DNA sequence: TCTGGGGTCCTAGGACCC
DNA sequence: TCTGGGGTCCTAGGACCC
């Protein structure tokens, strides 16, 4: 039997959640992203003005004073997200949460998938005050294209036929900048051109797409999710920096932030990578393997510092730093023998104090240097790890 | 789109082995 | 060993996504 896959995509999701909670903004040009200095989502009214995702906020303020700029509230969107997926699960257990506002669902065994799709749309709008667009198709790739055909509140079915042959291949899920440049070079512009290729000459991911575009299912709906593999925290500077102390301090802030995330999620990391990014977008990075899993910024800072000193170059302008924790394991899964050495208990206490008095009340001396004039806080000096 | 942040997966090629 | 063939494992970095 043929498979029937649904793809659901939130319409202007972040902004839609805000408007659901603050209806006075409905019908107005609204964007989110104030806290990140670039636009992360836009209402359709804002799109109509010509604004785009990733446009700098200062530019919006200057050129479009009529646009409301809100901060993103990721935790709030997560709640909407969970409720939205719960509604889809009323109709099937086979739901793959693909991102915060997208999912796939396998409706192969559902009696009337089109009716179900429309019902899901209706339920979500009535119960959550946001809208979604839905596509149906025999494969994930086709369902994903279908949901994008009409937006917002669109519904498109590719179960019986598609009309995608003249669509630019670069629009297809999985064909990115690099591949589309290469394909364009070979005069492969449309889906039709792509399908005319001999499959044997395509890379493996492209073969998958080649099949899926023709309704031959390769990609399964994965309704069980794997545990998280990595955690990152990266920040760009307000303007390029060359001062080593300042750049180091920014990196330490990122280390503290990513460690806090790890402890919140009850993770320790066995490995980490950090980078400093030059003004010219070059990544200078290093990878570190810990001999025991860590989520302690003092220990991690100690290891990163040595590599940072080796990598840092004078008279170079940098624009960002970041760190990714990798090979995550459940926290404290390793014998408590190591606890003293990794400051595990210390950070339990710090997390408790922070919870009571506000995050950031306790910082490491190296990341606090620039904030001394702001507000009183305890300063923790860089401890030694022996 | 002079360019933000957080993820996952794939693959070429080096290291090592028989 | 101036030098074959084949296999596995691992990693860095690229590519892609939202």
């Amino acid at each position: 039997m043929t498979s029937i896959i649904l793809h659901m995509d939130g319409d202007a999701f972040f902004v839609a959640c805000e408007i659901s909670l603050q209806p006075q903004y409905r019908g107005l040009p609204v964007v989110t992203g104030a806290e990140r200095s670039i636009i992360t989502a836009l209402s359709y009214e804002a799109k109509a003005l010509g604004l785009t995702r990733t446009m700098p906020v200062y530019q919006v303020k200057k050129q479009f004073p009529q646009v409301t700029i809100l901060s993103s509230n990721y935790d709030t969107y997560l709640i909407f997200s969970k409720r939205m997926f719960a509604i889809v699960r009323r109709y099937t257990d086979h739901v793959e949460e693909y991102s915060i506002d997208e999912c796939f669902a396998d409706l192969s065994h559902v009696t009337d998938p089109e009716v179900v799709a429309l019902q899901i749309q209706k339920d979500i709008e009535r119960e959550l005050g946001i809208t979604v667009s839905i596509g149906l198709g025999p494969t994930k790739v086709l369902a994903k294209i279908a949901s994008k055909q009409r937006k917002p509140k669109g519904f498109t079915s590719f179960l019986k036929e598609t009309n995608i042959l003249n669509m630019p291949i670069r629009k297809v899920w999985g064909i990115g900048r690099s591949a589309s440049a290469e394909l364009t070079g070979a005069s492969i512009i449309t889906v039709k051109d792509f399908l005319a290729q001999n499959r044997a000459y395509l890379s493996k991911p492209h073969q998958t797409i080649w099949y899926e575009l023709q309704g031959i299912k390769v990609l399964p709906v994965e309704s069980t999710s794997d545990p998280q593999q990595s955690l990152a925290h990266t920040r760009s500077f307000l303007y390029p920096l060359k001062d080593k102390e300042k750049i180091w301090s920014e990196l330490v802030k990122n280390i503290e932030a990513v460690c806090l995330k790890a402890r919140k999620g009850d993770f320790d990391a066995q490995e980490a990578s950090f980078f400093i990014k030059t003004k010219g977008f070059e990544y200078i990075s290093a990878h570190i393997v810990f001999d025991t899993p860590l989520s302690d910024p003092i220990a991690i800072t100690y290891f990163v510092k040595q590599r940072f000193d080796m990598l840092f170059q004078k008279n170079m302008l940098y624009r960002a730093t970041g760190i990714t924790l990798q090979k995550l394991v459940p926290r404290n899964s390793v014998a408590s023998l190591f606890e003293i050495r990794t400051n595990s208990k210390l950070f339990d206490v710090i997390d408790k104090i922070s919870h009571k008095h506000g995050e950031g009340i306790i910082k490491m001396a190296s990341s606090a240097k620039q904030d001394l004039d702001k507000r009183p806080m305890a300063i923790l000096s860089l401890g030694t790890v022996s």
Side-chain angles (χ1 to χ4, degrees):
Chain A
M1 89 176 252
T2 54
S3 82
I4 297 171
I5 294 174
L6 170 146
H7 180 254
M8 183 183 86
D9 192 10
D11 299 322
F13 184 66
F14 289 6
V15 166
C17 295
E18 294 295 341
I19 291 176
S20 175
L21 297 172
Q22 311 179 69
Q24 68 270 27
Y25 293 124
R26 199 174 290 280
L28 301 176
V30 178
V31 303
T32 56
E35 79 293 349
R36 269 217 244 143
S37 63
I38 55 131
I39 298 180
T40 53
L42 326 74
S43 70
Y44 285 85
E45 292 78 9
K47 274 179 203 170
L49 291 174
L51 278 67
T52 54
R53 238 177 68 89
T54 77
M55 187 184 270
V57 163
Y58 73 84
Q59 199 178 326
V60 177
K61 281 185 187 156
K62 210 163 75 183
Q63 292 177 24
F64 305 92
Q66 72 274 41
V67 172
T68 303
I69 303 167
L70 302 173
S71 289
S72 313
N73 295 291
Y74 203 79
D75 293 344
T76 304
Y77 311 150
L78 269 180
I79 295 168
F80 274 86
S81 176
K82 293 296 161 209
R83 292 190 183 163
M84 199 164 77
F85 297 141
I87 289 172
V88 180
R89 288 201 174 86
R90 290 174 189 166
Y91 303 93
T92 174
D93 290 334
H94 299 267
V95 177
E96 174 183 340
E97 298 180 16
Y98 180 70
S99 73
I100 190 164
D101 73 329
E102 280 181 49
C103 70
F104 293 97
D106 192 331
L107 299 186
S108 304
H109 304 287
V110 166
T111 315
D112 199 337
E114 305 208 346
V115 171
V116 164
L118 295 171
Q119 191 61 47
I120 288 172
Q121 252 181 337
K122 226 183 275 177
D123 291 352
I124 289 174
E125 186 170 9
R126 181 163 38 85
E127 296 175 35
L128 303 181
I130 64 175
T131 65
V132 298
S133 296
I134 290 185
L136 291 180
T139 66
K140 279 172 125 178
V141 168
L142 286 177
K144 183 113 163 96
I145 295 172
S147 71
K148 235 192 282 187
Q149 295 270 304
R150 295 183 192 84
K151 255 183 163 296
K153 236 171 121 173
F155 172 74
T156 303
S157 171
F158 283 162
L159 289 177
K160 297 205 172 75
E161 55 181 354
T162 70
N163 58 351
I164 59 169
L165 288 181
N166 293 320
M167 198 173 123
I169 188 68
R170 75 186 139 77
K171 299 265 189 191
V172 172
W173 184 43
I175 305 287
R177 224 203 340 204
S178 162
S180 54
E182 218 167 287
L183 292 168
T184 302
S187 298
I188 300 164
I189 312 295
T190 64
V191 168
K192 193 177 172 184
D193 298 336
F194 182 74
L195 293 179
Q197 299 307 301
N198 184 335
R199 165 175 61 83
Y201 298 141
L202 299 174
S203 68
K204 212 178 157 203
H206 288 180
Q207 288 191 23
T208 300
I209 294 168
W210 188 87
Y211 279 119
E212 290 247 327
L213 280 171
Q214 298 174 77
I216 301 162
K217 182 175 150 183
V218 179
L219 301 169
V221 173
E222 316 238 30
S223 48
T224 54
S225 59
D226 295 333
Q228 180 153 25
Q229 303 191 33
S230 66
L231 270 176
H233 199 87
T234 68
R235 285 292 176 272
S236 294
F237 314 144
L238 281 172
Y239 42 83
L241 297 175
K242 70 163 100 170
D243 182 274
K244 187 174 176 185
E245 287 297 310
K246 282 187 188 155
I247 293 166
W248 170 243
S249 156
E250 292 299 319
L251 180 52
V252 173
K253 282 185 201 168
N254 288 331
I255 294 172
E256 288 178 300
V258 81
C259 286
L260 183 63
K261 276 192 218 169
R263 294 198 302 277
K264 277 186 173 170
D266 256 341
F267 290 120
D268 278 333
Q270 295 176 292
E271 300 180 8
S273 302
F274 72 93
F275 70 83
I276 42 181
K277 181 157 67 165
T278 66
K279 185 163 181 276
F281 266 74
E282 198 187 342
Y283 284 84
I284 296 157
S285 65
H287 180 241
I288 301 167
V289 178
F290 308 129
D291 52 12
T292 180
L294 296 174
S295 57
D296 156 21
I298 294 181
I300 293 177
T301 298
Y302 171 83
F303 292 121
V304 170
K305 176 68 168 146
Q306 307 170 16
R307 306 295 296 273
F308 175 83
D309 285 340
M310 288 161 58
L311 293 176
F312 186 85
Q313 286 185 26
K314 269 203 266 182
N315 298 321
M316 176 87 93
L317 276 168
Y318 296 92
R319 68 161 57 230
T321 66
I323 179 153
T324 303
L325 301 182
Q326 295 148 327
K327 299 247 167 97
L328 303 178
V329 295
R331 188 136 180 253
N332 293 335
S333 64
V334 176
S336 58
L337 266 180
F338 295 111
E339 278 181 6
I340 295 167
R341 164 168 194 219
T342 60
N343 296 308
S344 175
K345 286 275 191 284
L346 172 62
F347 278 91
D348 284 343
V349 173
I350 289 176
D351 287 343
K352 267 181 204 142
I353 295 173
S354 300
H355 186 69
K356 202 167 163 191
H357 299 286
E359 256 161 44
I361 192 87
I362 300 180
K363 290 184 177 181
M364 291 199 290
S366 41
S367 84
K369 281 200 178 83
Q370 302 186 28
D371 301 329
L372 289 179
D373 49 340
K374 279 194 194 152
R375 59 171 171 150
M377 65 179 122
I379 306 279
L380 196 62
S381 61
L382 182 61
T384 35
V385 181
S386 55

